[in-house]
Amino acid sequence: MQILRPGVLESEIKEMYSSIDDQKIAGLLFAKDPKLWKDDPEQIKDISQRMGWLTLPDLFLEKTEALSLFGRQVKEDGFTHVVLLGMGGSSLSSEVAKETFGSSPGYPELLVLDNTAPEAISDLENKIDLEHTLFIVASKSGGTEETISFFKYFYDRIQKKNSKNPGDHFVAITDDNTSLVKLAAQYNFRKVFINPSDLGGRYSVLSDFGLVPMALIGINVASFLTSANQMMVSCNNQLPTESNPGISLGILLGICQKHGKDKVTFILSSSLKSFGYWVEQLIAESTGKEGKGIIPIVGEMPGTPEEYGQDRLFVHLYLNSDDNKEDTIKVDALEHAGHPVVKISLDEKESLGGEYFRWEVATAIAGLVMKINPFDQPNVEESKQNTKHILEKWMKDGSFITSSKDYVVEDFHIHEGHREKSSDLRHGNHIGEFVNNFTSRAVQNDYIAWLPYFMMTDFRDEVLQSWRQKLRDELKVATTLLNGPRYLHSTGQLHKGGPDTGLFIILVGDHEEDLAIPGSSFGFATLHEAQALGDFQSLDDKNRRVLYINLGKNIDSGLSELFESIEKSNKS
């Protein structure tokens, strides 16, 4: 069930409903008409090649038996773990499946690797038995550097175990005729799934990219797709727009953005928390361009109306069987205070299949309202190219060189964006004063993004969540917490192409170990550092407000010291 409470925007939204009905937008959407969004030939061509997601529920319902059979075969072959090697759209739906459903009895445990930090790779390797692990190499383009580097590393590790056929431990998911198809043939992979090519990565959850990992851990794929199919029918019917669950939601998202209510804040019940990983990418990467954007806020603790500005749209998505009393009270208070609110209730976890489709339709329609192309990602390539150039310099000079101002505050090595060079951030004697001088530049309707480039642990997450919560309450601005390099393939598009309302804090640490990438002249530690610096450079080139802080070799100690200094600075 979906309930929309647009508040003061209700009359404008109803006018838009009438306009959408008059233009027969639902019919044009499901006819895959690219002119809904843009009218120049190049963009029409590009959009036309990205509309296949609209019919995925029908297409893959016919494949459920084959997917389930493959899952049973892998289980019967004695695999105890399945590891998804991928980035962005290729990996986030697997995170949702792993945390929301888990593995059925007797099926392998699913793990996801989308972090190039050596510590993260070693940590994962310590959790698995290599000889009983199946690796999914997932890349739409077939050449994603992180994914292929992961493959090279684990193929080498299995080969050294004297496996007769190392390739039997690998499955590929990719588009047709990619370099990964050739790689899979070269290394004799167990199986290659050729995905439909007429859709982008973030719209691929209801295809092989999302469904194969689910089948491998024993999730009822047929039930999941049936839910998606029901939502597809509901969004493609002859009912008025007001009754269309996806299109009505998209109109609300788009109109809220036009009125400055561009921070769509998700309040998710306990069983559905991980859905935020996926929807965060979908919205950010789809809408963050042309200086516009809807900023998804996931993981903030719900507050009182007084703790928010006027830039919020709240979405309460919950499973009816969860304990939702406390969140419901808070959401009702926000609605009564005049904030626009969306309430969506689900009867079972499998209904997430329908939610995936609902939010894909809503995001596409929001793009229509915003007059942008929700299917491209023009700025994602920038950080990749910066990383490539930084690695080339490293291979030539043996060191990393940046064009930014850099200096040391206490024991913290810092890069400061060029936009701050006219500001006296450095007048503080302590790191806490320095950082507070930066975050104090946030004004109404801004947001602060923490971008840690290291393996996340419960302790690190707790410190960073405490930090973002305090600033949300003190400054009344939205906050996000996004792990690198994962976010480069998702929210990174919003950071560069969206509105200039973000303050970005990149946090890194010195690697105590490195892991070689077979066939490469650099290891994962070098790649990881280059990615962080590449993103810093990309943000700096866009004249964004950005700070890069190296916490040193002991990340836990450095993070604790940083937060304690910030707390002391606030009290002084």
Side-chain angles (χ1 to χ4, degrees):
M1 182 178 68
Q2 173 177 289
I3 300 172
L4 307 184
R5 299 290 192 226
V8 296
L9 300 176
E10 185 169 6
S11 61
E12 183 176 346
I13 284 174
K14 286 189 174 180
E15 287 179 14
M16 178 68 80
Y17 286 166
S18 298
S19 174
I20 293 290
D21 284 335
D22 291 343
Q23 297 175 69
K24 303 187 185 306
I25 295 298
L28 293 172
L29 173 67
F30 281 87
K32 304 179 181 179
D33 187 346
K35 294 181 181 178
L36 284 171
W37 296 277
K38 296 290 181 179
D39 56 12
D40 66 275
E42 281 300 315
Q43 294 219 51
I44 286 175
K45 179 181 178 182
D46 180 68
I47 294 170
S48 296
Q49 297 169 351
R50 296 172 183 263
M51 300 298 291
W53 57 274
L54 282 160
T55 49
L56 287 178
D58 270 346
L59 176 63
F60 276 87
L61 266 172
E62 299 175 1
K63 301 182 179 183
T64 55
E65 182 56 39
L67 288 170
S68 297
L69 176 60
F70 182 66
R72 291 194 296 271
Q73 289 173 340
V74 168
K75 179 186 70 168
E76 291 166 5
D77 284 350
F79 287 100
T80 57
H81 291 88
V82 171
V83 176
L84 188 286
L85 309 176
M87 302 296 295
S90 300
S91 67
L92 292 171
S93 59
S94 290
E95 286 277 12
V96 180
K98 174 174 72 76
E99 294 192 20
T100 303
F101 297 95
S103 301
S104 297
Y107 281 83
E109 179 184 357
L110 175 62
L111 299 172
V112 177
L113 181 61
D114 60 0
N115 192 329
T116 51
E119 299 81 5
I121 298 168
S122 294
D123 180 71
L124 181 140
E125 189 171 354
N126 289 334
K127 293 176 179 176
I128 62 177
D129 175 357
L130 278 170
E131 295 179 283
H132 294 91
T133 297
L134 182 71
F135 294 90
I136 304 173
V137 186
S139 170
K140 175 177 170 58
S141 69
T144 306
E145 181 169 13
E146 299 96 327
T147 305
I148 301 305
S149 296
F150 293 148
F151 158 70
K152 291 177 180 177
Y153 175 80
F154 282 108
Y155 186 91
D156 181 70
R157 297 288 292 121
I158 291 173
Q159 193 173 42
K160 288 177 178 176
K161 290 278 187 180
N162 296 316
S163 172
K164 293 181 181 179
N165 181 17
D168 203 44
H169 290 261
F170 293 88
V171 169
I173 307 175
T174 187
D175 286 2
D176 198 12
N177 294 319
T178 67
S179 58
L180 180 52
V181 174
K182 298 174 184 176
L183 188 77
Q186 178 185 349
Y187 288 93
N188 196 26
F189 277 26
R190 169 180 286 257
K191 190 172 181 63
V192 178
F193 291 89
I194 303 297
N195 205 59
S197 59
D198 57 345
L199 59 142
R202 61 187 177 276
Y203 285 84
S204 67
V205 61
L206 297 172
S207 72
D208 284 322
F209 282 107
L211 299 175
V212 170
M214 292 176 66
L216 287 170
I217 59 173
I219 294 174
N220 188 334
V221 176
S223 176
F224 192 81
L225 281 168
T226 297
S227 169
N229 189 266
Q230 291 170 346
M231 183 62 69
M232 180 184 72
V233 172
S234 297
C235 292
N236 183 23
N237 58 29
Q238 303 304 313
L239 295 175
T241 295
E242 188 171 5
S243 301
N244 187 307
I247 294 180
S248 61
L249 176 58
I251 290 169
L252 177 61
L253 289 169
I255 288 181
C256 280
Q257 185 276 332
K258 290 175 69 175
H259 286 272
K261 298 180 183 297
D262 60 354
K263 314 300 189 305
V264 56
T265 304
F266 287 86
I267 299 173
L268 305 171
S269 71
S270 57
S271 295
L272 306 177
K273 290 290 186 186
S274 61
F275 180 74
Y277 303 148
W278 175 85
V279 77
E280 186 174 49
Q281 178 199 12
L282 175 72
I283 294 173
E285 192 171 24
S286 298
T287 69
K289 58 202 68 171
E290 298 182 29
K292 305 174 185 178
I294 297 172
I295 295 95
I297 308 299
V298 175
E300 271 192 353
M301 292 292 292
T304 63
E306 296 75 27
E307 290 169 325
Y308 296 105
Q310 296 302 309
D311 57 349
R312 301 277 188 152
L313 162 62
F314 293 94
V315 176
H316 187 200
L317 174 63
Y318 58 95
L319 194 66
N320 284 322
S321 57
D322 285 343
D323 181 0
N324 301 299
K325 183 177 180 181
E326 186 176 341
D327 284 346
T328 299
I329 292 172
K330 290 182 177 180
V331 171
D332 287 344
L334 292 166
E335 180 185 342
H336 293 149
H339 291 285
V341 167
V342 176
K343 300 176 182 178
I344 300 174
S345 62
L346 306 182
D347 289 327
E348 57 185 3
K349 291 180 180 180
E350 285 76 10
S351 297
L352 278 181
E355 284 313 295
Y356 283 131
F357 197 86
R358 183 204 309 265
W359 283 94
E360 287 174 339
V361 170
T363 302
I365 294 298
L368 183 153
V369 176
M370 295 166 63
K371 299 184 177 359
I372 59 167
N373 175 0
F375 305 109
D376 66 353
Q377 49 281 333
N379 300 104
V380 167
E381 192 64 27
E382 294 175 13
S383 289
K384 294 181 184 179
Q385 289 302 314
N386 286 339
T387 297
K388 179 181 177 181
H389 295 151
I390 288 170
L391 285 170
E392 288 172 351
K393 289 182 179 179
W394 181 89
M395 287 186 284
K396 179 182 177 182
D397 303 327
S399 62
F400 289 111
I401 301 172
T402 68
S403 60
S404 67
K405 301 174 68 174
D406 60 279
Y407 41 88
V408 175
V409 177
E410 295 180 309
D411 294 326
F412 297 87
H413 193 109
I414 294 172
H415 296 301
E416 182 184 82
H418 287 91
R419 183 164 168 179
E420 305 300 332
K421 65 183 178 182
S422 61
S423 306
D424 190 15
L425 285 183
R426 288 163 291 169
H427 76 267
N429 294 319
H430 303 289
I431 186 64
E433 294 176 79
F434 184 98
V435 174
N436 281 336
N437 287 338
F438 176 74
T439 55
S440 67
R441 284 159 169 69
V443 298
Q444 187 177 13
N445 297 333
D446 279 346
Y447 68 101
I448 301 175
W450 281 263
L451 308 174
Y453 269 81
F454 41 69
M455 184 181 76
M456 290 297 288
T457 63
D458 290 342
F459 172 77
R460 295 169 188 179
D461 183 70
E462 182 180 348
V463 173
L464 292 170
Q465 291 287 4
S466 296
W467 187 1
R468 69 181 290 206
Q469 188 74 19
K470 286 180 180 295
L471 282 188
R472 192 282 306 270
D473 296 344
E474 292 169 5
L475 302 176
K476 306 295 188 291
V477 297
T479 66
T480 65
L481 174 58
L482 304 151
N483 198 211
R486 166 192 282 183
Y487 75 81
L488 292 179
H489 297 258
S490 56
T491 53
Q493 169 61 43
L494 171 71
H495 296 165
K496 289 99 176 172
D500 184 15
T501 53
L503 287 82
F504 305 99
I505 303 173
I506 297 175
L507 298 168
V508 304
D510 293 329
H511 297 288
E512 295 187 5
E513 63 171 326
D514 196 5
L515 295 174
I517 302 173
S520 176
S521 58
F522 53 83
F524 280 105
T526 303
L527 173 60
H528 191 73
E529 188 173 352
Q531 288 177 304
L533 287 169
D535 192 49
F536 170 79
Q537 184 177 317
S538 185
L539 289 165
D540 196 23
D541 289 345
K542 293 290 183 204
N543 202 33
R544 299 310 202 206
R545 291 166 288 181
V546 57
L547 207 58
Y548 179 107
I549 304 174
N550 190 320
L551 302 172
K553 287 187 176 181
N554 190 326
I555 293 174
D556 289 352
S557 176
L559 192 58
S560 296
E561 184 180 342
L562 174 62
F563 188 54
E564 289 170 8
S565 183
I566 289 168
E567 291 277 80
K568 289 178 182 177
S569 175
N570 284 333
K571 294 175 182 178
S572 61

